[in-house]
Amino acid sequence: MGGLPTNKTVYAFAASPTNPKIMFAGLREGAFRSTDGGESWKKVAKAPRDVAAVAFDPGKPEVIFLGTASGILYRSPDNGATWQRQN
Amino acid sequence: METTQRRGGDLRPSIPTSRIRAHWSRVMSIAGLATAIALALSTFGETAGPSHDIGHLHALLVSPTDGSLWIGTHNGLYQSSDEGKTWQQVKIPAELAAMDFMSFAQDPINPKVLYVGTHNRGALRTTDGGAAWESFSTGLGGSDVHALAADGYNATQPKRLYAWVVDKGLYRILGDLSEWKRVDDGPSNPDVRALQAVNIPTGMGGIFLYAATSEGIFRSPDCF
């Protein structure tokens, strides 16, 4: 159980459109992923910090977009394993 | 949950706060100290890059029809058709121009219908994919809408949208989507940053509404 940093604001949240137990949470400390509906979370190793928004691509749910508070957008083509800066 | 209309037009919950919050529960338990220390160490040293004109970012949406991206920022509302490489500002009428665009919700049936929560103009709606905008705030108790969510509109339930209004609580709009009604105070920590209706069955005929807050993630059955 657990896995999110304690007493930290969660700024962003998104659940997969096809498997809703897969979720991403965005914090200043980074992005976190759950595969059990939020019961447990693991830090997404290669995601940036300062996450302000996160969204799944409804047409390609393995694709996740992530925006930082400073306006940088990242795209992951592989469920969060790797991330490419877009702008 | 019902609300009562008090003298002066203020909508307040009809039962005490301690009860109305009871259906919100923390999704995960508090992590142990060792886990927190490990996370702090693992994130140390990473930095965000510089801003690229779009400014402080609050919200992100991917359209199900064409994969285009929408972002809400301090400087405005932007759309990208090349996966975020370039951005075009969405024109908002002067009377609806907001300081910050905080949140999105999209109609699950008709993706041209999009709702945007703002810091100082309540909720806005477009029904044509972003060309024309209107205020969508009738019944909202305040103008600072930090979070929005659209339920999945399954056949057994009326259409429903949720809005989190800072210092006012959780609002819902049902059926014909004409007027917001206050539901309750939301999770015990009132600083809600994001809402999403998640298609995980509650066992009571509905699904869960998840809330990202300053104290973690909470969820509540959407039947309340």
Side-chain angles (χ1 to χ4, degrees):
Chain A
M1 299 280 281
L4 284 181
T6 54
N7 299 318
K8 300 291 185 183
T9 296
V10 181
Y11 290 93
F13 176 82
S16 165
T18 51
N19 183 353
K21 289 192 172 182
I22 297 176
M23 301 171 165
F24 279 80
L27 293 81
R28 288 200 191 286
E29 290 73 17
F32 294 77
R33 185 172 184 265
S34 173
T35 57
D36 56 11
E39 294 290 334
S40 63
W41 296 85
K42 287 184 178 174
K43 189 170 188 295
V44 180
K46 296 182 178 176
R49 296 190 68 188
D50 234 2
V51 180
V54 63
F56 285 82
D57 183 337
K60 292 176 281 186
E62 73 279 9
V63 174
I64 298 113
F65 289 92
L66 180 159
T68 68
S70 56
I72 308 299
L73 204 86
Y74 292 83
R75 178 183 186 272
S76 171
D78 50 15
N79 298 301
T82 61
W83 295 86
Q84 286 114 36
R85 181 172 168 164
Q86 300 296 94
N87 61 338
Chain B
M1 185 172 295
E2 297 299 320
T3 58
T4 54
Q5 185 81 38
R6 300 254 173 110
R7 196 171 296 173
D10 185 21
L11 281 172
R12 294 184 186 280
S14 55
I15 55 176
T17 298
S18 59
R19 288 179 56 201
I20 62 178
R21 285 174 174 161
H23 55 81
W24 283 92
S25 56
R26 186 184 289 274
V27 178
M28 68 291 166
S29 65
I30 296 174
L33 180 60
T35 303
I37 292 171
L39 287 168
L41 290 173
S42 68
T43 57
F44 181 75
E46 298 174 44
T47 55
S51 170
H52 280 235
D53 301 326
I54 54 179
H56 190 72
L57 188 147
H58 296 295
L60 171 63
L61 177 88
V62 186
S63 171
T65 49
D66 58 6
S68 65
L69 302 182
W70 294 72
I71 52 171
T73 79
H74 178 68
N75 295 337
L77 199 60
Y78 294 84
Q79 196 173 17
S80 172
S81 56
D82 58 6
E83 298 187 322
K85 296 178 181 67
T86 60
W87 296 91
Q88 294 78 45
Q89 188 158 12
V90 177
K91 290 182 180 175
I92 301 289
E95 69 272 18
L96 298 176
M99 285 175 58
D100 286 271
F101 293 84
M102 305 300 298
S103 50
F104 290 112
Q106 194 163 31
D107 186 301
I109 307 298
N110 180 1
K112 287 191 172 181
V113 179
L114 187 65
Y115 304 88
V116 182
T118 75
H119 179 54
N120 62 337
R121 296 283 189 186
L124 310 182
R125 177 174 70 174
T126 176
T127 58
D128 59 6
W133 293 86
E134 60 188 347
S135 178
F136 192 68
S137 303
T138 303
L140 279 185
S143 60
D144 194 358
V145 180
H146 268 204
L148 285 172
D151 215 327
Y153 296 177
N154 74 49
T156 62
Q157 286 185 325
K159 289 182 178 179
R160 57 181 73 196
L161 296 171
Y162 296 92
W164 175 260
V165 183
V166 174
D167 294 334
K168 301 295 180 181
L170 182 69
Y171 286 73
R172 182 173 61 193
I173 189 164
L174 289 174
D176 62 357
L177 305 183
S178 61
E179 185 175 358
W180 295 96
K181 304 279 188 187
R182 191 174 187 279
V183 179
D184 60 26
D185 289 344
S188 58
N189 186 292
D191 195 5
V192 174
R193 301 295 182 143
L195 286 173
Q196 187 174 352
V198 178
N199 191 25
I200 294 176
T202 62
M204 296 184 287
I207 61 174
F208 282 105
L209 181 66
Y210 276 67
T213 81
S214 60
E215 290 186 355
I217 296 175
F218 293 75
R219 72 179 185 180
S220 169
D222 68 350
C223 58
F224 288 98

